[in-house]
Amino acid sequence: MATINDNYLKLKAGYLFPEIARRVNTFAEANPDAQIIKLGIGDVTEPLPEACRTAMVKAVEDMGDRATFKGYGPEQGYLWLREKIAAHDYQARGCQVDASEIFISDGSKCDTGNILDIFGKNNTIAVTDPVYPVYVDTNVMAGHTGPANEAGEYAGLTYLPMTADNDFTTELPNQKVDLIYLCFPNNPTGATATKGELKKWVDYARENGSIILFDAAYEAFITDPTLPHSIYEIDGARDCAIEFRSFSKNAGFTGTRCALTVVPKTLTAKAADGSDVDLHKLWSRRQSTKFNGVSYIIQRGAEAVYSEAGQAQIKGLINFYLENAKIIRDKLTAAGIKVYGGVNAPYVWVKTPKGMSSWEFFDQLLQTVHVVGTPGSGFGAAGEGYFRISAFNSRENVEEAMKRITEKYKL
Ligand SMILES: *Cc1c(COP(=O)(O)O)cnc(C)c1O
């Protein structure tokens, strides 16, 4: 008799967004005239930059000619793309990352999940709370946790709360942890980490033999020039950190799919016999076995992000979303609502007014002003009492949603 991976039965997942959809649908059916504005989902709305589209069209033409046709590409990604990433995203910022340490993939979501393939079963794991649910659920699936409690916290995981009480910073855990997931600028809170903050983690990781899994999906939204864009801006990070980046949020590739993971060749972890094993080799082995590379056409599109036109166009996109975030921040603040984030990130993290729970505020906004956001409690127990509003939307929708909220909440 075939059996299943019972760890899947522990998952609370699939709860948050389906529950939002259920409540929105129920409301919409009962109120067919309500113009609902969705500021909930973390997906981009603006079209792909022209430079990327042009490069992809040209690449399609390459595929139509026997002389330039491409079959299987290198599993690690084409060198011309990896060299551009190494030069622009890393070496230009003083980070020692070589093209050979970069792995092109079809998404950071997949990579942050798949990376567990190369780690042992008995690692202790730390995640922030609130958290991007992928880090937690993939550990649940891999059997690294016990069951979840009422608040959705899994036994065996170390949660690092990030709330207004600690200024949305992460505190070092009391117990030793082996794998640490950090995401800055943060989804969902929009919080950032200073160089000092990241140095604290790098020092901790080096002292304890831990590995930091650093998700920099939103680095392009950093406006404060003192903030680090990469964990490798911190001395010693090459010995303790893997970094994930994506073209999804900076260049609008959420539906196109291209991302990258950096595994420095200086990074090792312990084998059962106590020897040090090179993680770059393991990830390379994992990818070349289970992954066959990103489409040539898409990699040409990603390469165009680094052209002069591409750089100008993605800057335009990011500024557009950041301007949305500023409108959201300003209007909510004027309405007497406390907001965080949204300056170096496309997410505004809202303190629910009058001590409402995250879901109470969700229902109130939906029912009174027909605006949908994401309840903070869906991202973790410490997200209770908060609410995420995404800047990924049209200007018109953002302005209309803020007008409605301001009218309802103004003092
Ligand atoms: C959107 C997002 C990503 C990007 O995922 P892709 O699979 O590359 O689209 C990664 N991490 C976080 C936290 C995100 O919000």
Side-chain angles (χ1 to χ4, degrees):
M1 183 85 79
T3 62
I4 61 150
N5 176 351
D6 277 84
N7 295 312
Y8 278 61
L9 303 180
K10 293 179 205 158
L11 290 168
K12 286 243 169 184
Y15 168 74
L16 178 62
F17 289 103
E19 177 61 16
I20 291 172
R22 192 187 67 74
R23 292 190 193 205
V24 171
N25 291 341
T26 306
F27 177 78
E29 272 163 33
N31 303 273
D33 295 333
Q35 297 290 314
I36 297 172
I37 299 178
K38 294 182 182 171
L39 300 179
I41 311 286
D43 192 0
V44 297
T45 52
E46 302 310 299
L48 276 181
E50 195 205 329
C52 301
R53 283 183 281 129
T54 306
M56 287 190 255
V57 168
K58 157 109 184 18
V60 170
E61 294 303 332
D62 289 349
M63 296 300 260
D65 183 340
R66 202 167 193 286
T68 47
F69 168 79
K70 301 280 186 296
Y72 290 125
E75 286 108 349
Q76 205 180 326
Y78 285 100
L79 186 60
W80 36 258
L81 175 56
R82 289 186 283 119
E83 278 176 341
K84 294 226 165 60
I85 294 166
H88 282 81
D89 290 344
Y90 292 105
Q91 290 152 12
R93 294 197 67 83
C95 303
Q96 241 191 74
V97 169
D98 188 77
S100 64
E101 298 176 310
I102 296 169
F103 294 81
I104 306 299
S105 79
D106 58 348
S108 284
K109 183 180 191 173
C110 341
D111 284 357
T112 52
N114 291 336
I115 198 75
L116 290 176
D117 270 14
I118 66 168
F119 289 106
K121 289 281 167 216
N122 296 319
N123 288 311
T124 47
I125 313 249
V127 292
T128 61
D129 180 5
V131 67
Y132 180 53
V134 175
Y135 315 149
V136 171
D137 291 354
T138 52
N139 274 289
V140 174
M141 290 171 175
H144 298 167
T145 74
N149 67 16
E150 279 287 286
E153 296 166 303
Y154 287 91
L157 287 186
T158 297
Y159 288 93
L160 310 167
M162 286 170 67
T163 65
D165 294 338
N166 61 12
D167 248 345
F168 298 94
T169 57
T170 44
E171 282 150 41
L172 295 175
N174 300 322
Q175 66 278 46
K176 192 169 138 348
V177 288
D178 302 310
L179 297 181
I180 303 147
Y181 290 83
L182 296 178
C183 173
F184 290 107
N186 187 254
N187 177 9
T189 64
T192 55
T194 61
K195 281 191 179 155
E197 275 287 302
L198 292 188
K199 182 174 183 322
K200 180 179 84 178
W201 282 105
V202 167
D203 291 347
Y204 173 92
R206 294 179 78 198
E207 246 159 60
N208 292 284
S210 326
I211 301 283
I212 297 169
L213 302 170
F214 190 75
D215 185 343
Y218 296 97
E219 63 76 32
F221 290 84
I222 292 175
T223 53
D224 177 344
T226 67
L227 293 173
H229 288 237
S230 166
I231 187 104
Y232 303 118
E233 289 179 48
I234 313 304
D235 281 342
R238 285 182 53 83
D239 300 327
C240 64
I242 290 173
E243 180 164 294
F244 304 93
R245 285 202 184 191
S246 173
F247 293 96
S248 283
K249 310 295 165 44
N250 63 350
F253 273 50
T254 53
T256 309
R257 313 305 304 145
C258 198
L260 61 116
T261 291
V262 179
V263 187
K265 289 185 171 164
T266 43
L267 198 59
T268 63
K270 294 284 180 202
D273 67 4
S275 60
D276 291 315
V277 177
D278 186 344
L279 290 177
H280 182 278
K281 284 206 182 101
L282 290 192
W283 184 243
S284 179
R285 189 71 176 82
R286 190 269 170 209
Q287 288 299 79
S288 55
T289 301
K290 295 197 184 181
F291 184 60
N292 239 341
V294 174
S295 139
Y296 167 73
I297 298 159
I298 303 304
Q299 291 191 64
R300 282 295 187 200
E303 183 193 28
V305 163
Y306 299 98
S307 66
E308 213 178 301
Q311 286 290 293
Q313 288 160 17
I314 68 163
K315 208 162 194 279
L317 276 177
I318 289 158
N319 287 343
F320 172 78
Y321 293 127
L322 284 176
E323 184 66 25
N324 281 350
K326 182 171 172 3
I327 294 168
I328 295 167
R329 280 182 59 93
D330 290 351
K331 295 286 182 190
L332 294 182
T333 304
I337 296 173
K338 184 85 188 125
V339 298
Y340 304 91
V343 177
N344 298 283
Y347 300 115
V348 178
W349 192 239
V350 177
K351 183 82 195 91
T352 59
K354 303 198 175 82
M356 269 183 265
S357 75
S358 298
W359 279 110
E360 279 168 349
F361 189 52
F362 174 92
D363 286 332
Q364 189 178 88
L365 282 185
L366 173 62
Q367 284 159 21
T368 62
V369 293
H370 314 155
V371 172
V372 178
T374 314
S377 55
F379 296 101
E384 180 57 275
Y386 293 92
F387 194 76
R388 190 187 76 175
I389 296 188
S390 165
F392 291 128
N393 218 308
S394 67
R395 182 60 46 80
E396 190 189 358
N397 275 350
V398 167
E399 282 177 341
E400 172 61 20
M402 290 308 118
K403 182 167 150 263
R404 293 185 199 167
I405 293 177
T406 314
E407 275 165 13
K408 156 124 182 95
Y409 289 90
K410 70 171 169 258
L411 302 172

